[in-house]
Amino acid sequence: VFPFHFWTPDVYQGSSNETAGLIASLPKIGAVAILVRFVSLAAPGDPTIVTFMAVLAGASMFYGNLVALMQDDLKRLLGFSGIAHAGYALLGFVAMDGDGYSAAMYYIFAYALMVIACFVPICRISRDGANVPMGELAGLHRRSPMLAITLGVGVFALAGIPPFAGFTGKLALLKAALNQGHLLLVIVAVVNTVIAIYYYLAIARETFFRDPEGRPNVAVDAATRALCVALIAGIVALGILPEPILAAIRSSL
């Protein structure tokens, strides 16, 4: 499943905003669940599986983050970001134990909430369904505070900033990989997290520190507002109280 994720940014860019948001979130949960079932059939610590997963994880993280640095189209940026996050999730498979698998499932579930929190504002800001460049976020904190807060929580969580779910999920993955002696891969993941902070903060800068420059306010209906509140609450709750979810995942593996 994962080798084909290198083409997802093209799919994101060519799809409608709503379709891209769906592709970016729910299918990844299923992909990780299937991969857990397959990898768990191998002998613990199988060197072939470990090497393959480690190489794929490192390649995904570097490729996704470095190319995302050059993107202006938000959907394409999130597409390359998604490649990097798939690489983070693969840290759990490199560990090849229950803690690694449960951390991977937890992380990808949290990632789905985080990326949806980014796509909701994109869908509302978009004019006639067009793709949204970075500049269209300018002054969003004045044009629609609710969308700005939702997008801010989404990107800060994706960047791995506490107390959001992205930080807790990355911590669980790093711990699982480190416990199995994969120090080099953990360092690679930490370096990539630092790289990713740059483009996530670029989104936050446009959202919170730019002038609207005449761009219109963005109306938010009751349903969208409720969805935003639910996403924010879920991302924060997963970040602060991860153990119940991790325990439930472990018991189901």
Side-chain angles (χ1 to χ4, degrees):
V1 177
F2 276 87
F4 298 100
H5 67 245
F6 290 98
W7 286 270
T8 55
D10 295 326
V11 176
Y12 284 24
Q13 189 174 22
S15 305
S16 68
N17 296 316
E18 293 79 6
T19 301
L22 180 64
I23 294 171
S25 53
L26 300 183
K28 286 185 171 61
I29 298 175
V32 170
I34 292 171
L35 197 58
V36 166
R37 292 303 181 192
F38 276 105
V39 175
S40 62
L41 296 175
D46 184 308
T48 302
I49 299 295
V50 169
T51 301
F52 175 73
M53 289 295 175
V55 171
L56 186 56
S60 297
M61 287 185 278
F62 275 118
Y63 175 72
N65 283 323
L66 291 176
V67 180
L69 289 172
M70 299 180 285
Q71 303 306 312
D72 181 65
D73 182 284
L74 286 174
K75 285 197 300 184
R76 194 166 181 82
L77 184 153
L78 289 172
F80 284 108
S81 166
I83 293 173
H85 284 281
Y88 298 134
L90 287 174
L91 290 172
F93 294 95
V94 173
M96 291 195 74
D97 60 10
D99 288 341
Y101 298 142
S102 59
M105 284 300 302
Y106 170 90
Y107 188 76
I108 210 66
F109 179 72
Y111 171 78
L113 294 182
M114 295 183 286
V115 78
I116 291 172
C118 294
F119 268 99
V120 169
I122 290 173
C123 293
R124 298 302 300 175
I125 294 167
S126 175
R127 302 176 185 180
D128 301 320
N131 289 359
V132 179
M134 186 86 72
E136 283 299 309
L137 296 175
L140 186 61
H141 67 291
R142 295 183 186 174
R143 298 158 56 202
S144 177
M146 176 57 73
L147 292 180
I149 293 171
T150 304
L151 181 59
V153 169
V155 296
F156 286 141
L158 288 170
I161 295 174
F164 303 116
F167 170 78
T168 309
K170 281 193 176 85
L171 195 62
L173 288 167
L174 293 174
K175 182 180 178 182
L178 193 59
N179 285 343
Q180 296 301 317
H182 301 292
L183 177 60
L184 179 59
L185 193 58
V186 168
I187 293 173
V188 167
V190 172
V191 169
N192 273 276
T193 298
V194 174
I195 294 172
I197 287 174
Y198 179 83
Y199 59 81
Y200 288 129
L201 289 184
I203 295 175
R205 183 181 65 243
E206 293 291 334
T207 302
F208 296 102
F209 298 104
R210 297 292 191 195
D211 187 84
E213 298 177 351
R215 290 180 175 84
N217 292 338
V218 183
V220 179
D221 57 31
T224 301
R225 190 175 298 274
L227 176 59
C228 289
V229 171
L231 288 168
I232 293 169
I235 291 168
V236 172
L238 280 176
I240 296 175
L241 299 170
E243 277 309 316
I245 303 298
L246 285 169
I249 294 172
R250 287 191 199 101
S251 65
S252 66
L253 293 177

